[in-house]
Amino acid sequence: MTKYIKFLLVLLVVTVLSGCTSKLDTAECSFESKQSDYKIESKYKIYYKKNIVKKVDIDEVITSSSKDKLEEFSNSFKSQYESNNSMYGGYTYDIKINKDKLKLSVSIDYTVFDMNKFINNNAAMKDYVNKSNNLTIDGIIKMYEASGSTCSKNK
């Protein structure tokens, strides 16, 4: 019994120490778009280590006076993220509509995401990954900036 407790204690110390040394760097991107019947505000927080993206958290707020427009966005997001998670894994999301706002929170865990399968289905992704097909921080920033986002790496 004492050997088991000592083993657990050693395991706990190793876990804590390895967790302390595995701090991830971050980058942030933001995007805004105004259309005649809605406005989109997006924030992307990118977690990476040694130039490899590990996770992206996305927070979007869509504002519209049209409930139908918000429901349309909600249904589109649900379909997209359920499909992506089924095909590639790594997605969690939450969608809430409150009055004239839709709030979307998405997390993409690239440590479980099937990037090879994604690249096979989306050849243009080759521009954003390294030779091992890992999504790079420079690649994802290039991708977000190409769609109109403003990005910066945090120190």
Side-chain angles (χ1 to χ4, degrees):
M1 179 76 163
T2 349
K3 287 182 182 180
Y4 180 70
I5 291 173
K6 286 180 183 177
F7 172 75
L8 286 178
L9 188 56
V10 169
L11 184 62
L12 176 65
V13 169
V14 169
T15 303
V16 169
L17 290 176
S18 66
C20 292
T21 60
S22 65
K23 181 184 176 296
L24 299 176
D25 294 313
T26 60
E28 295 181 11
C29 298
S30 60
F31 173 80
E32 282 191 29
S33 175
K34 290 182 184 180
Q35 303 300 318
S36 60
D37 54 348
Y38 64 89
K39 176 183 175 184
I40 299 175
E41 297 172 275
S42 305
K43 295 189 185 303
Y44 311 94
K45 187 155 188 180
I46 306 160
Y47 299 87
Y48 65 99
K49 184 166 185 157
K50 295 183 180 177
N51 204 36
I52 305 300
V53 175
K54 303 296 184 182
K55 179 181 172 187
V56 175
D57 288 333
I58 303 166
D59 289 311
E60 288 189 325
V61 176
I62 300 172
T63 306
S64 177
S65 59
S66 168
K67 289 281 187 197
D68 290 340
K69 180 58 73 177
L70 295 177
E71 286 296 330
E72 181 183 330
F73 273 109
S74 177
N75 292 334
S76 176
F77 288 140
K78 283 178 189 174
S79 175
Q80 175 187 351
Y81 292 123
E82 286 175 11
S83 174
N84 285 356
N85 194 50
S86 174
M87 290 180 70
Y88 311 113
Y91 283 83
T92 56
Y93 70 93
D94 183 53
I95 301 170
K96 290 187 171 102
I97 297 177
N98 187 4
K99 298 181 182 175
D100 65 343
K101 292 188 187 311
L102 178 147
K103 293 186 179 184
L104 169 69
S105 297
V106 180
S107 185
I108 307 169
D109 182 350
Y110 285 100
T111 65
V112 297
F113 184 88
D114 189 342
M115 185 59 75
N116 291 322
K117 186 175 183 182
F118 189 71
I119 291 169
N120 286 338
N121 294 335
N122 302 278
M125 282 301 295
K126 274 297 213 186
D127 294 339
Y128 308 109
V129 298
N130 63 15
K131 292 177 183 174
S132 301
N133 285 344
N134 293 309
L135 183 60
T136 66
I137 186 61
D138 295 330
I140 198 168
I141 286 175
K142 180 179 170 184
M143 185 170 48
Y144 283 140
E145 287 178 341
S147 66
S149 294
T150 303
C151 300
S152 64
K153 291 181 186 177
N154 299 324
K155 299 284 177 178

